[in-house]
C-alpha cells in the first residue's frame, strides 16, 4: 500500500493523486494502487523553517509518517519538494522506503533526452531551470542531486524568484489565475537564459501552469513522482507516458 504524506498543500496532494491514478495502467478499480493518504495540514511551513522564519516541521512530518505506517503503508510518497530537505531524517526513522521526488525528476530528465530531439543530454552539462520555493533553492536539493547527472541548475534572478514565491502563495490561496502569468514570465526568462528544460519544483506550480507549455519545456515534479510510485508499486506494469496529465 502506498502511503501519501500530504497536505503540503492540500491542492497539490489532490493533484498528485489525480496524476497517480492517470499514470496507473488499469482497466478496473482493482487494478489501481491501494493508497492511504494523510493530508497533514498542521505541518509547519517548510520554506519558512529552512529560512529560519518558522518552526521545525520535522516532528509533525514524523507523526504523519507514523500514522501512515500504522495504517499499513508499505512505501511512502511526499508530494512536496521542499519537504524533501528532511528526507534523510524521515527515512532514518522508518523501515518503509520513501521515494525521493528529485530522483524521480532526474529519471524523467534522462528519459526525456531519449524521447525528444531537443531533450537534455544527461551527463553532458545540460542547463536546467528551477521554479521552486525559496527554501528548496536555499537547500541546494536539486542542484546537488542533478549535478550527479551532469546537469547544472539555474533559478530566477532575485526579482523573478520573488515573483515565483508570490505565485506559490497565490495558488495556496486558490488564486491560480493570478499566479499563472507570474510563472509564465519566469519560464520565458529561464528559457532565454539557455535552459532546455524548466522543472516545476514546487507541487503548487503545475497547478498554475497546466496547459501553458506548447514547447514541451516544462518538467512536472508531481508527475515524475507519480510515475516513480507506479514503477515501485506495480513493477509488472509499464507506465504509459501518454496517459499522464501534462502541463501542455
Amino acid at each position: 500500500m502506498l502511503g501519501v504524506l500530504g497536505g503540503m498543500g492540500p491542492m497539490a496532494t489532490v493533484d498528485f493523486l489525480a496524476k497517480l491514478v492517470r499514470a496507473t495502467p488499469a482497466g478496473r478499480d482493482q487494478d489501481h494502487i491501494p493508497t492511504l493518504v494523510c493530508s497533514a495540514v498542521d505541518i509547519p511551513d517548510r520554506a519558512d523553517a529552512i529560512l529560519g522564519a518558522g518552526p521545525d516541521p520535522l516532528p509533525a512530518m514524523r507523526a504523519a509518517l507514523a500514522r501512515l505506517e500504522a495504517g499499513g503503508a508499505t512505501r511512502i510518497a511526499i508530494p512536496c519538494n521542499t519537504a524533501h530537505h528532511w528526507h534523510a531524517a524521515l527515512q532514518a526513522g522508518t523501515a518503509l522506503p520513501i521515494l525521493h521526488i528529485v530522483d524521480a525528476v532526474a529519471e524523467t530528465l534522462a528519459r526525456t533526452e531519449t524521447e525528444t530531439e531537443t531533450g537534455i543530454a544527461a551527463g553532458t552539462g545540460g542547463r536546467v531551470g528551477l521554479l521552486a520555493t525559496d527554501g528548496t533553492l536555499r537547500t541546494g536539493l536539486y542542484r546537488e542531486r542533478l549535478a550527479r547527472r551532469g546537469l547544472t541548475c539555474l533559478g530566477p534572478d532575485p526579482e523573478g524568484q520573488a515573483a515565483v514565491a508570490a505565485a506559490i502563495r497565490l495558488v495556496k490561496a486558490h488564486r491560480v489565475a493570478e499566479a499563472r502569468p507570474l510563472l509564465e514570465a519566469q519560464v520565458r526568462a529561464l528559457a532565454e537564459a539557455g535552459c532546455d528544460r524548466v522543472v516545476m519544483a514546487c507541487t503548487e506550480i503545475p497547478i498554475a501552469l497546466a496547459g501553458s507549455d506548447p514547447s514541451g519545456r516544462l518538467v512536472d515534479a508531481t508527475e515524475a513522482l507519480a510515475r516513480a510510485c507506479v514503477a515501485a508499486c506495480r513493477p509488472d506494469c509499464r507506465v504509459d507516458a501518454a496517459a499522464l496529465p501534462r502541463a501542455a
Side-chain angles (χ1 to χ4, degrees):
M1 179 184 292
L2 177 66
V4 180
L5 204 174
M8 303 176 282
M11 193 185 303
T13 300
V14 171
D15 186 48
F16 167 74
L17 292 171
K19 289 170 179 175
L20 177 69
V21 169
R22 292 182 63 178
T24 304
R28 55 180 187 158
D29 295 346
Q30 293 77 16
D31 293 335
H32 284 276
I33 298 167
T35 305
L36 180 64
V37 181
C38 180
S39 186
V41 295
D42 59 329
I43 296 173
D45 188 275
R46 285 65 57 199
D48 283 353
I50 290 167
L51 299 173
D56 184 0
L58 182 58
M61 286 194 285
R62 281 177 169 156
L65 177 58
R67 292 197 290 273
L68 291 169
E69 194 164 7
T74 56
R75 52 182 50 82
I76 302 295
I78 307 175
C80 171
N81 288 265
T82 311
H84 283 72
H85 174 61
W86 292 272
H87 181 279
L90 290 167
Q91 187 64 83
T94 181
L96 302 183
I98 304 175
L99 285 78
H100 202 295
I101 197 168
V102 184
D103 291 342
V105 168
E107 289 300 319
T108 296
L109 289 168
R111 183 172 56 251
T112 302
E113 183 269 329
T114 66
E115 291 176 352
T116 68
E117 293 180 358
T118 60
I120 297 170
T124 61
R127 179 175 288 185
V128 180
L130 288 181
L131 296 178
T133 67
D134 295 346
T136 294
L137 294 179
R138 173 75 65 87
T139 65
L141 191 65
Y142 270 87
R143 182 176 64 250
E144 293 168 6
R145 285 185 174 253
L146 294 188
R148 301 172 193 171
R149 308 265 182 148
L151 301 173
T152 301
C153 292
L154 179 67
D157 62 24
E159 182 179 352
Q161 182 56 32
V164 171
I168 292 168
R169 291 192 296 271
L170 286 168
V171 174
K172 288 181 179 290
H174 304 288
R175 296 163 63 183
V176 174
E178 296 173 61
R180 181 167 175 150
L182 298 177
L183 294 168
E184 288 176 335
Q186 296 313 307
V187 172
R188 290 192 296 270
L190 289 170
E192 290 168 1
C195 295
D196 298 299
R197 291 285 184 269
V198 176
V199 179
M200 296 182 286
C202 169
T203 49
E204 269 75 36
I205 291 175
I207 297 167
L209 288 181
S212 65
D213 184 31
S215 68
R217 187 180 302 275
L218 295 177
V219 177
D220 183 347
T222 307
E223 178 185 301
L225 182 61
R227 284 175 176 259
C229 289
V230 174
C233 297
R234 296 281 304 277
D236 56 311
C237 294
R238 175 182 176 273
V239 179
D240 184 2
L244 289 166
R246 294 287 184 180

